[in-house]
Amino acid sequence: MSPIPKAELHLHIEGSLEPDLAFALAERNGVVLPYASEDELRQAYHFDGLQDFLDLYYSLMAVLRTEDDFAELAHAYLARARRQGVRHAEIFFDPQAHTARGVAIGTVIGGLSRALDEAPAAYGITTRLIMCFLRDQSAESALETFEAARPHLDRIAAVGLDSAEAGNPPSKFREVYAQARAAGLKCVAHAGEEGPPAYITEALDVLKVDRVDHGVRCMEDEALVARLAAERMPLTVCPLSNIRLRVFDTLQDHPLRRMLDAGLLVTVNSDDPAYFGGYVHDNLTAVTEALGLDEETVRRLAGNSFTASFLEEEEKKAHLRAVEEYVFPGGV
Ligand code: HPA
Ligand code: ZN
């Protein structure tokens, strides 16, 4: 029985790099990893916060060098996503993390695109690509990255903003977001994960985002919650990530249910599934159990994932019908 149909809207493709693929690519590319085995690497997956995770996440990317590597990475994700009920995926990638290592942006986009082009036929999954700027790099670096991406913009649906949040407010990237919007791209940004609620407000007012990634710290600001609900602003929440990165102590403490009760357009996503202990349906089942969600709430979350996507209205309608018609096999 296939899990309930869903879209995944917050997935860093580099964060789907599983230890077995990391070691296979290291061998192929002659890269020496500072871990003796896959098990030893997994032992390192205990994080005391976002920066601690990012250090490992960027260091492991050293194994990604060729178009084939990026295509294989995306194929591995898509194969797993299909088993999790994913019908549509909007996928982040971090070009600066690769160009800084001498890998051309065309290699990254070319490799990912090759896999994504095959995804509808091979996995029954449609996709979009979202190019993220690293917010701990300069505004100039983001602008240069956008220039380098211009020949490939037909492959890119949106721009995003990720990496170390605290001290790197959305307003730092006002100019590059204005250029992206002028080029017809959608805009999203990580905000209110480790950073304060004011960063969410900035993402809305300065970057004019179409979606907020994470956004969980909006719950500290009642007026902001009311605004996000009134504007039907989607929030891409990643519950297992939030626990692994110590945003909340336990899943029982996670505000997902309170966010739904406040009328927010919340979706459930996996963020960096190879590192955080689960793909998107694993996230959904984990919160269902921890927060005691009923079937109608799970159906609402699945529906929200399509509503909040960048699909065309007709495509959304077809997916929403499939969500409505889904019969739970006795348990989510
Ligand atoms: N937050 C910020 N940047 C990231 C994340 C995240 O959870 N994952 C990969 N880059
Ligand atoms: Zn993220």
Side-chain angles (χ1 to χ4, degrees):
M1 187 71 195
S2 179
I4 191 165
K6 59 181 73 65
E8 168 133 80
L9 307 179
H10 187 150
L11 176 278
H12 302 265
I13 197 67
E14 298 92 342
S16 71
L17 177 59
E18 292 282 348
D20 58 344
L21 183 57
F23 272 90
L25 295 180
E27 167 102 27
R28 191 159 88 195
N29 291 328
V31 174
V32 179
L33 290 174
Y35 304 93
S37 65
E38 291 173 33
D39 268 352
E40 199 182 301
L41 173 57
R42 277 184 209 282
Q43 297 299 318
Y45 291 4
H46 298 279
F47 309 111
D48 61 24
L50 176 57
Q51 188 60 57
D52 192 31
F53 155 70
L54 290 170
D55 292 343
L56 178 61
Y57 167 80
Y58 293 126
S59 79
L60 214 55
M61 286 184 205
V63 304
L64 296 164
R65 302 223 55 97
T66 67
E67 257 197 43
D68 282 351
D69 299 343
F70 286 95
E72 245 178 84
L73 176 68
H75 273 295
Y77 164 70
L78 290 161
R80 283 177 180 266
R82 170 158 106 163
R83 297 197 289 274
Q84 301 262 322
V86 173
R87 302 292 164 80
H88 177 69
E90 302 191 350
I91 298 175
F92 296 133
F93 69 108
D94 287 328
Q96 289 154 296
H98 309 301
T99 53
R101 302 181 291 109
V103 177
I105 195 167
T107 301
V108 181
I109 297 172
L112 294 176
S113 298
R114 219 164 70 203
L116 303 190
D117 285 350
E118 293 172 17
Y123 308 102
I125 299 176
T126 55
T127 63
R128 300 280 190 277
L129 264 183
I130 304 177
M131 179 173 79
C132 286
F133 304 114
L134 301 184
R135 67 200 309 155
D136 47 355
Q137 306 285 313
S138 66
E140 291 70 31
S141 176
L143 286 161
E144 285 163 18
T145 302
F146 191 65
E147 278 314 306
R150 276 198 194 271
H152 309 285
L153 288 189
D154 58 326
R155 292 285 184 177
I156 293 170
V159 295
L161 190 62
D162 63 3
S163 201
E165 187 181 5
N168 294 298
S171 53
K172 181 175 163 187
F173 298 94
R174 178 194 307 262
E175 175 60 27
V176 76
Y177 270 70
Q179 289 192 15
R181 248 178 296 114
L185 300 188
K186 300 278 192 187
C187 296
V188 302
H190 285 50
E193 178 190 20
E194 280 198 347
Y199 283 16
I200 300 174
T201 306
E202 263 192 24
L204 300 175
D205 291 339
V206 180
L207 304 185
K208 309 205 184 323
V209 293
D210 299 283
R211 263 191 334 237
V212 173
D213 295 313
H214 292 296
V216 285
R217 287 194 58 196
C218 73
M219 297 307 279
E220 297 167 27
D221 181 339
E222 230 172 89
L224 177 58
V225 169
R227 174 183 177 184
L228 291 165
E231 293 181 6
R232 302 274 297 147
M233 178 58 59
L235 305 177
T236 62
V237 173
C238 308
L240 290 175
S241 164
N242 291 156
I243 305 312
R244 290 298 187 99
L245 298 186
R246 312 272 189 111
V247 176
F248 306 105
D249 289 336
T250 70
L251 270 185
Q252 284 74 23
D253 300 317
H254 197 281
L256 179 79
R257 183 196 267 282
R258 285 187 287 122
M259 295 174 83
L260 285 164
D261 291 345
L264 293 170
L265 183 52
V266 179
T267 67
V268 168
N269 307 271
S270 71
D271 210 3
D272 302 282
Y275 294 89
F276 299 153
Y279 284 74
V280 61
H281 193 69
D282 306 324
N283 271 267
L284 196 56
T285 51
V287 285
T288 297
E289 202 166 302
L291 302 176
L293 305 183
D294 61 15
E295 289 184 357
E296 285 323 295
T297 305
V298 172
R299 203 186 295 280
R300 176 175 161 199
L301 286 166
N304 284 354
S305 72
F306 292 111
T307 301
S309 75
F310 296 140
L311 286 166
E312 301 297 332
E313 288 308 314
E314 282 309 307
E315 298 171 297
K316 287 187 189 184
K317 272 190 203 152
H319 285 298
L320 287 169
R321 256 195 313 275
V323 168
E324 280 313 310
E325 289 166 4
Y326 180 78
V327 179
F328 288 95
V332 174

